[in-house]
Amino acid sequence: MLQVIGIGPGRPEWLPPAIIELVKNCEILIGGSRALKLFPDFGGRQYSLSGDLSSSIEVIKNALLEEKIIGILVSGDPGFFSFLPRLKKEFPEERIDVYPGLSSLQFAFARAGLPWQEAIFLSVHGRQLSVLPTRITRPTAVLTGGENTPQKIAQFYLDRGHNLRISIGNALAYPEELWATMDAEHLAQEKTLLKNAIVILYPAIEQDTIQKTTQDGQQSPKQSTGCRIGIPDEEFLRGKVPMTKAEIRVQVLAKAQISKYDCVVDIGAGTGSISIEAAGLASEGVVYAIEHNPEAQELILANQLKFGVPNLHLIPGAAPDVFGELPQVDVCIIGGSNGRLAEILATVPLVDGGRIVITAVTIETVAQGLQLLADLNYQAIDTVSIQAVRWKAVQSLHMAQALNPIFIISARKGETL
């Protein structure tokens, strides 16, 4: 039996009697060296964990062979960005009892004198800064770690024009504790080493919510950002690169059924129009735009900056050659395959049950796509063809302006045969 025990900040004065008694009843104790030192009188066998998760799992597997009560010590609270999800995944048949501890976020909000029931909680420890929301609408607590320091978080928002007010808690509950509140400009220049700190980001009045005045005194409408689909074509920076028109883009995204936390890949991203809108839908996820054309790559980055979508990542190159840079994805959108559709569908790292959407302009590509999807055990295969007509004003009349017809194939990935 595994008992996952939260040790709070790792100071003996913050260990409640119930946790101390629980540890006494364990037969094997597993944890980091600092955690094990909290229980110098423990009479059972102890195993020290390293920072390598795979090695830690092996230690626990070997201990389970002894069929004894095993206590696994974790910092803070086991339910807040801890080792618990990995344990449940590795040992699905094992009984796992969980015992709470004080988390660093509780300390941070206590230091700030704020309630935290409506706050947002994130971690950038071992994750990309792109998980951070573009705009802060309510207090947001962020666990830092590794290369992602509080200073880098401050610079992340400064680069997007937001000089937020930020509280920093470093080594909370320890004698060397640091607690300070400052704006992002000051924090970005802070020289103090802030290792594994927690920060609280505070909402602010965003500058772009205020209409700007043009030189002739007229009010210009503010640039709308965030989750939008069907953004007017003229809002995108386009150059000479082909772009999926708004009417088609809406249908592609509807078929993709992108959720808030999804990981999405857009293959043959062009100007990035679909990637931009997908990033707004997957606001807590990430979108990877694969594009081999250098001009298009520049446009993707320019449009990303214009629309303020930090969770969009450009992968220069061609699919499937660059698939090694992708994690498992929930949604795959294929706008261009350069004749390599079979290779792409066979190797794209799409999770079982993941959604795929393919756009095509020729009957031959449609026939090939349908056959490949069937051969690869895709389910719920659906095909629609769309031709939109825009009616443009010409003096007092409106004339038809037909867009090129396009096919949209959608499906869900079945279990690998």
Side-chain angles (χ1 to χ4, degrees):
M1 179 177 69
L2 296 178
Q3 296 183 332
V4 185
I5 304 168
I7 60 169
R11 297 284 296 172
E13 62 267 28
W14 289 102
L15 285 175
I19 293 296
I20 295 173
E21 193 64 29
L22 184 68
V23 169
K24 286 182 182 178
N25 293 327
C26 292
E27 297 170 282
I28 296 176
L29 200 59
I30 300 175
S33 57
R34 190 186 72 175
L36 292 173
K37 288 178 182 178
L38 291 172
F39 307 96
D41 299 327
F42 179 73
R45 193 179 301 108
Q46 297 185 24
Y47 295 100
S48 180
L49 297 181
S50 67
D52 182 6
L53 285 179
S54 298
S55 298
S56 300
I57 293 298
E58 285 302 314
V59 169
I60 296 168
K61 283 181 179 178
N62 292 332
L64 282 170
L65 296 176
E66 302 183 40
E67 298 184 353
K68 296 184 181 296
I69 300 174
I70 301 171
I72 300 176
L73 306 176
V74 298
S75 298
D77 182 84
F80 186 69
F81 293 105
S82 82
F83 199 22
L84 179 60
R86 181 67 181 268
L87 291 173
K88 294 180 75 69
K89 178 181 178 181
E90 294 286 345
F91 307 106
E93 305 300 325
E94 195 68 36
R95 175 180 168 181
I96 300 178
D97 294 337
V98 182
Y99 299 89
L102 287 170
S103 70
S104 56
L105 81 90
Q106 290 172 283
F107 269 93
F109 278 90
R111 294 289 186 265
L114 289 174
W116 48 278
Q117 68 266 21
E118 295 182 359
I120 297 172
F121 309 111
L122 300 166
S123 174
V124 294
H125 184 71
R127 296 172 172 85
Q128 296 178 328
L129 289 180
S130 61
V131 302
L132 296 171
T134 305
R135 283 169 174 75
I136 304 299
T137 58
R138 46 185 167 150
T140 301
V142 184
L143 290 178
T144 69
E147 295 182 354
N148 290 332
T149 62
Q151 289 92 329
K152 284 196 174 182
I153 292 175
Q155 191 61 52
F156 175 88
Y157 284 101
L158 288 175
D159 290 343
R160 286 152 181 81
H162 309 313
N163 186 22
L164 300 178
R165 187 167 64 96
I166 304 174
S167 287
I168 312 98
N170 194 64
L172 293 174
Y174 281 75
E176 64 271 25
E177 173 183 308
L178 180 147
W179 177 260
T181 301
M182 61 189 74
D183 62 25
E185 286 185 356
H186 286 85
L187 177 55
Q189 301 301 319
E190 178 61 51
K191 301 302 182 183
T192 304
L193 179 62
L194 302 171
K195 188 177 181 180
N196 294 327
I198 187 168
V199 299
I200 299 177
L201 311 174
Y202 296 97
I205 298 175
E206 303 290 352
Q207 292 300 313
D208 58 4
T209 62
I210 303 173
Q211 288 187 322
K212 297 178 181 179
T213 303
T214 60
Q215 290 182 350
D216 60 3
Q218 299 296 315
Q219 293 289 319
S220 63
K222 82 176 182 71
Q223 171 67 57
S224 178
T225 58
C227 179
R228 290 193 296 155
I229 62 173
I231 297 172
D233 294 346
E234 58 269 20
E235 289 191 26
F236 288 99
L237 304 173
R238 298 176 58 180
K240 297 180 180 179
V241 176
M243 184 182 73
T244 304
K245 302 299 190 292
E247 293 82 358
I248 305 303
R249 213 180 311 130
V250 169
Q251 296 301 318
V252 169
L253 293 168
K255 293 293 185 180
Q257 299 178 36
I258 297 170
S259 299
K260 182 177 181 181
Y261 296 97
D262 276 346
C263 183
V264 182
V265 60
D266 180 14
I267 298 173
T271 61
S273 61
I274 286 180
S275 296
I276 295 292
E277 296 191 6
L281 294 170
S283 58
E284 299 296 331
V286 62
V287 175
Y288 295 93
I290 296 178
E291 178 54 56
H292 69 94
N293 183 338
E295 181 186 356
Q297 292 167 12
E298 293 181 6
L299 286 170
I300 290 170
L301 295 175
N303 279 314
Q304 177 187 21
L305 181 62
K306 177 179 180 179
F307 290 97
V309 281
N311 57 329
L312 171 60
H313 295 279
L314 170 65
I315 299 182
D321 300 338
V322 295
F323 280 173
E325 300 180 42
L326 286 179
Q328 288 281 297
V329 298
D330 304 290
V331 180
C332 173
I333 300 171
I334 303 176
S337 62
N338 288 317
R340 303 177 71 182
L341 184 59
E343 295 175 72
I344 291 170
L345 291 178
T347 57
V348 64
L350 184 65
V351 300
D352 288 347
R355 284 90 64 199
I356 194 160
V357 180
I358 306 169
T359 58
V361 295
T362 69
I363 292 290
E364 288 76 13
T365 301
V366 173
Q368 181 193 22
L370 291 174
Q371 186 62 57
L372 288 169
L373 291 173
D375 292 344
L376 293 168
N377 195 37
Y378 277 80
Q379 308 296 314
I381 301 172
D382 181 68
T383 307
V384 298
S385 62
I386 297 175
Q387 181 173 19
V389 178
R390 293 175 175 174
W391 293 85
K392 293 291 185 180
V394 180
Q395 297 181 354
S396 61
L397 303 176
H398 287 77
M399 302 293 291
Q401 184 182 73
L403 303 182
N404 291 331
I406 193 165
F407 295 90
I408 303 174
I409 307 171
S410 59
R412 284 186 177 273
K413 185 178 180 181
E415 294 184 3
T416 303
L417 297 175

